[in-house]
Amino acid sequence: MDKEFKSVCVMGLGYIGLPTASLLGTKGYQVTGVDVSPSVVETINQGKIHIVEPDLDLLVKSAVNAGNLKASLEPCKADMFIIAVPTPFKDGYVPDLSYVEQATRTIAPFVEKGNLIILESTSPVGTTDLVAEILQEHGHNTAEDVFVAHCPERVLPGRILIELVQNDRIVGGINETSTKVASDFYKEFVSGEVLETSAKTAELSKLTENSFRDVNIAFANELSLICDKEHIDVWELISLANRHPRVNILQPGPGVGGHCIAVDPWFIIHRNPEQSKLIRSAREVNDAKPEWVVNKVKEKAERFKQPVIACLGLTFKANVDDLRESPALAITKQLIEENIGEIIVCEPNIKTHKDFELCSFDEAVDRADILLLLVDHKPFESLSAAKLSEKIVIDTRGIVK
Ligand code: SAJ
């Protein structure tokens, strides 16, 4: 396929859209990044960023300064369009596709014959077909004139710029020509392999990757409950079992957070409820873990009048500043709500929080009667059980040695 795309319109300037837009800008594409938030648009046009991600500030600055990235509230004509908007769920775990639908309707008047439209948002099976249908409703002939494909983002927050280039990509079009055209585009800047398939397989593949991780973590979390009853160290158990050449269990924790792994499995369950019993069960196991941790703290707190409970870590995973869907945050809030003792909070990756005063790591360790380790941040790795013999330690991440 010898199509050449020079101008790109990226819909949504969040964790995926902005890194993608700025990367393409530095590769010589003429990029317009579109977002509904005026403050986001303004920030980016000043060469600055509104999210935290290593090196993204430099990339955005360089693309904007080179005149290759411009943020806007409105789309414009372009050779191709990338949709990277949120796909959350509504009440009852029903997928909310309104952002994808709205983005497609917004670009439809600007789409022309020969354009490529790529959906990168993590999406339930059938969403790429829905994008094509909306374009058809606006008079576009998706069988011949415009190309439509899904290429799910697969980058890990904290490593986005590296994984954007190095990860293998899965590209699935609504027909073979669309697949080929989209695949050729990714080959321009991806150093990993670009794998071609159908749109539906690409959609389910992304959901499968995150569900695999969720099910595996649920298995580890279930083991942690069993081990607690049996007085066995779950971390030792898993490291021993993982010495088998075909076993690779993930790590238990206080629950599964973030905006991907705890969400995506529901897209499979919603569409195929009868066939996805294990996936649903895993979700339930992981969602129940924060409550289990709270009960553990309550049990240990019984012997004190008013214990000082130090919560170490608030973020959804280690060494990031992201609090979205964080089980550590939910646990801390519940402990405060239930008035179990004096709760002190230490989170080295954020400066302030609207609901809590944050204290230093040293103060937390010093003052605590109960030390509740919720996130395996680097600085917490210095904790040693020998030095904490006077305190009760509840280590949900298994880092206290
Ligand atoms: N977690 C555990 N035990 C583990 C691993 C993780 O409890 O052994 C917890 C973490 O603490 C966190 C949650 O799971 O609360 C999710 O963290 P994560 O690091 O596994 O994943 P995310 O949400 O940051 O990113 C995932 C990635 N998917 C996979 O690794 C299959 C990423 O590649 C996706 O692009 C991203 O979801 C996404 O956007 O979908």
Side-chain angles (χ1 to χ4, degrees), residues 252-296:
V256 169
H259 42 291
C260 311
I261 294 193
V263 174
D264 300 355
W266 290 112
F267 292 171
I268 300 181
I269 300 165
H270 178 255
R271 209 174 141 96
N272 305 92
E274 286 307 312
Q275 293 73 27
S276 53
K277 297 198 172 75
L278 176 65
I279 299 173
R280 175 189 284 274
S281 221
R283 271 290 65 244
E284 286 164 358
V285 168
N286 287 335
D287 274 354
K289 194 70 194 286
E291 186 73 41
W292 184 88
V293 174
V294 169
N295 288 333
K296 192 92 242 126

Side-chain angles (χ1 to χ4, degrees), residues 135 148 240 285 322 354:
L135 291 171
V148 183
L240 292 174
V285 168
D322 194 337
K354 63 176 175 40

Side-chain angles (χ1 to χ4, degrees), residues 193-240:
E193 260 188 79
V194 179
L195 308 155
E196 298 178 9
T197 182
S198 65
K200 283 173 88 173
T201 310
E203 288 159 349
L204 190 55
S205 164
K206 168 63 196 255
L207 305 181
T208 299
E209 291 157 21
N210 280 354
S211 299
F212 166 82
R213 209 156 160 83
D214 198 44
V215 170
N216 196 324
I217 298 168
F219 182 63
N221 276 334
E222 192 160 284
L223 288 175
S224 76
L225 309 189
I226 295 167
C227 284
D228 184 68
K229 282 218 131 184
E230 299 288 2
H231 304 290
I232 287 171
D233 179 343
V234 68
W235 321 100
E236 184 193 3
L237 174 86
I238 291 175
S239 79
L240 292 174

Side-chain angles (χ1 to χ4, degrees), residues 15-16 122 152-158 163 167 206 208-214 216-218 220-221 235 249-262 264 286 315-318 320 322 324-328 374-376 396-397:
Y15 279 88
I16 303 304
T122 302
E153 62 84 7
R154 304 166 102 189
V155 289
L156 195 71
E163 296 205 354
N167 285 4
K206 168 63 196 255
T208 299
E209 291 157 21
N210 280 354
S211 299
F212 166 82
R213 209 156 160 83
D214 198 44
N216 196 324
I217 298 168
N221 276 334
W235 321 100
I249 306 164
L250 291 178
Q251 301 299 307
V256 169
H259 42 291
C260 311
I261 294 193
D264 300 355
N286 287 335
T315 58
F316 89 93
K317 67 175 184 177
V320 297
D322 194 337
R324 283 177 296 176
E325 316 300 328
S326 168
L374 291 169
V375 188
D376 43 344
T396 68
R397 298 280 184 173

Side-chain angles (χ1 to χ4, degrees), residues 16-148:
I16 303 304
L18 183 57
T20 306
S22 49
L23 177 72
L24 294 174
T26 57
K27 299 270 175 202
Y29 290 86
Q30 199 58 46
V31 185
T32 305
V34 179
D35 203 280
V36 289
S37 158
S39 75
V40 167
V41 167
E42 199 179 310
T43 306
I44 293 164
N45 282 334
Q46 287 167 2
K48 297 185 188 141
I49 59 174
H50 62 292
I51 51 179
V52 176
E53 181 62 31
D55 300 330
L56 182 62
D57 50 347
L58 297 175
L59 199 72
V60 170
K61 200 172 178 184
S62 126
V64 170
N65 286 349
N68 288 346
L69 171 62
K70 200 175 148 295
S72 168
L73 289 166
E74 304 287 338
C76 57
K77 283 188 181 175
D79 298 332
M80 58 173 294
F81 297 81
I82 296 177
I83 300 173
V85 294
T87 42
F89 53 61
K90 305 185 260 202
D91 284 354
Y93 303 112
V94 178
D96 178 1
L97 298 180
S98 58
Y99 298 96
V100 172
E101 290 173 16
Q102 187 53 39
T104 312
R105 287 203 179 91
T106 310
I107 60 170
F110 299 92
V111 170
E112 289 180 342
K113 195 170 170 172
N115 284 177
L116 167 64
I117 295 94
I118 295 175
L119 174 66
E120 281 215 9
S121 312
T122 302
S123 298
V125 171
T127 311
T128 314
D129 285 339
L130 177 69
V131 168
E133 276 163 32
I134 295 173
L135 291 171
Q136 278 162 25
E137 283 165 19
H138 284 78
H140 299 293
N141 178 356
T142 54
E144 281 175 21
D145 291 350
V146 295
F147 311 103
V148 183

